[in-house]
Amino acid sequence: QLQLQESGPGLVKPSETLSLTCTVSGGSISSSTYYWGWIRQSPGRGLEWIGSIYYSGSTYYNPSLKSRVTISVDTSNNQFSLKLTSATAADTALYYCARSIPSVAASGRFDYWGQGTLVTVSS
Amino acid sequence: DIQMTQSPSTLSASVGDRVTITCRASQSVSGWLAWYQQKPGKAPKLLIYGASSLQSGAPSRFSGSGSGTQFTLTITSLQPDDFATYYCQQYNSYLTFGQGTRLEIK
């Protein structure tokens, strides 16, 4: 059974970089069949897709966040990571990592999700 | 970007009822539409993809229909476990979610 687990600091200071890692178990992140994505959820923004990455390193970002987002993959450790620069209070959210089935839009529907990790941006 | 609008925002229903949730896209997404169920404190769970295909493991009382800009999720014979929040998601151009429909017990 595939499992995803988010990890990283729960508190980030404004203007600093928010960094999270997703560890995948029960399956290989190097599979050519899937994308791996980050989604966040907050009361004000609802569910918001941040971006996705293919095992080869090809990335696909939400245009509204693209200037601040970097997603990378570490196939040796079966992990992928998110970095969001210049964090503000608006980035406070529950962050999920998930597996995505490719589609016409590159990354598509999400069939496996992590449990989510809450990140608060505050001084 | 493509905006997804769900209606209603809240729906009250009883066990055994048939309910329908609507999702409208600001431009055509063809059939690239998924539906998720989310319960408090849990991650969303994929129910429907490709507008009408049932995800493996999802109960058959869930069905989806539509194409282009108008989609529906129907739950026949509501069960106690179905009271949750439902989201649509388009994946035709980038990825965007609807704002959610909360299904509550009447």
Side-chain angles (χ1 to χ4, degrees), chain A residues 5 8 11 14-15 23 29 38 43 51 55 58 61 76 78 81 93 100 116 118 122:
Chain A
Q5 178 68 58
L11 181 63
S15 80
T23 300
I29 202 169
W38 289 97
Y55 80 101
S58 297
Y61 295 141
S76 61
N78 228 31
S81 298
S100 174
L118 179 62
S122 175

Side-chain angles (χ1 to χ4, degrees), chain A residues 43-61:
Chain A
R45 293 176 180 266
L47 284 165
E48 182 178 32
W49 168 68
I50 300 169
S52 300
I53 190 165
Y54 198 47
Y55 80 101
S56 62
S58 297
T59 51
Y60 187 53
Y61 295 141

Side-chain angles (χ1 to χ4, degrees), chain B residues 61-78:
Chain B
R61 60 182 178 274
F62 291 92
S63 64
S65 64
S67 67
T69 62
Q70 189 92 0
F71 302 87
T72 58
L73 172 70
T74 299
I75 313 172
T76 57
S77 189
L78 268 175

